Amino acid sequence: MNSVCVFTGSSNGSKVIYREAAQSLGREAAQRNMTLVYGGATVGLMGAVADAALDAGGSVIGILPEALAELEIAHTRLSELRIVDSMHTRKMAMAEASDAFIALPGGLGTLEEIFEVWTWTQLGVHAKPLGFLNVGGYYDSLFTFLDQAVQSGFIRPAHRELAQSHTDPSALLDLLKAADVSYKPKLAVSPGY
Ligand code: AMP
């Protein structure tokens, strides 16, 4: 596992623990010599995770769509900044550059991004581990809902189990490293489906 993609809020959230967790994950990735891949912005927790990784001597690749480059303010200190033409290109490029995915606390963008890479594993577009950094129980009610969706017959247990979760960045990276990604979907779809 040489690179990890982090999806997280363009806001800071209401508690300081969210920012601290983002910084801790950035430092941990750098200490493990893992390249951090993220959305390329300075704002919110996105900026916090990138700054912490860079300050710890890590390599950080930011991928930002041109339409957002002003709104989210492109980070100027990155090892590499890629400006792409659209949100869809951004997500594809982030997925291709990464060996694993982590969602920190975030909003609709974060949820959409982690669910997309999760469904790509479900569909066989890629076979890469993913997990949630569940800081302060931020994702507890989402997990309750997902378990209820399994009970209701809309999510297969094997698909639900593809996502790891932990409150500690180092422990979560260990879980991703050890995750069984040999899952074979019934229906395998090519990238760009
Ligand atoms: P948020 O979690 O809503 O603060 O957003 C986190 C990141 O997701 C930001 O870089 C947003 O620009 C991005 N984002 C928001 N909506 C989408 C979307 N529909 N597709 C891809 N990225 C998005």
Side-chain angles (χ1 to χ4, degrees):
M1 211 167 78
N2 298 316
S3 57
V4 62
C5 179
V6 172
F7 302 124
T8 191
S10 52
S11 310
N12 283 308
S14 59
K15 296 180 189 165
V16 72
I17 52 169
Y18 301 139
R19 195 170 179 86
E20 287 167 353
Q23 292 166 335
S24 172
L25 178 61
R27 279 193 298 272
E28 187 63 32
Q31 277 158 18
R32 292 177 182 229
N33 285 322
M34 294 177 72
T35 297
L36 180 84
V37 179
Y38 88 115
T42 50
V43 292
L45 298 190
M46 296 172 72
V49 69
D51 283 336
L54 290 166
D55 291 345
S59 169
V60 182
I61 299 176
I63 305 177
L64 192 61
E66 54 194 356
L68 278 184
E70 280 183 30
L71 196 63
E72 296 194 343
I73 310 170
H75 202 299
T76 53
R77 263 192 327 129
L78 301 178
S79 318
E80 186 183 339
L81 176 67
R82 297 185 200 163
I83 303 286
V84 296
D85 63 345
S86 70
M87 289 290 219
H88 284 104
T89 307
R90 176 202 225 180
K91 290 186 290 182
M92 183 78 79
M94 289 170 88
E96 282 172 1
S98 309
D99 295 330
F101 307 95
I102 290 179
L104 275 144
L108 294 174
T110 301
L111 293 169
E112 193 265 351
E113 289 165 335
I114 194 71
F115 275 96
E116 181 162 67
V117 296
W118 197 346
T119 57
W120 284 5
T121 305
Q122 174 177 301
L123 288 168
V125 174
H126 60 197
K128 298 179 179 179
L130 69 115
F132 290 80
L133 190 63
N134 191 19
V135 188
Y138 180 72
Y139 282 117
D140 283 353
S141 50
L142 179 68
F143 297 152
T144 301
F145 170 75
L146 291 169
D147 292 338
Q148 183 242 293
V150 173
Q151 294 299 320
S152 301
F154 287 106
I155 298 177
R156 291 189 194 157
H159 294 159
R160 171 71 183 90
E161 287 161 16
L162 290 169
Q164 312 295 320
S165 169
H166 209 287
T167 54
D168 176 67
S170 176
L172 180 58
L173 285 170
D174 286 343
L175 279 177
L176 295 181
K177 208 171 152 193
D180 178 9
V181 286
S182 60
Y183 164 78
K184 293 276 183 300
K186 287 210 168 69
L187 174 76
V189 181
S190 308
Y193 74 98

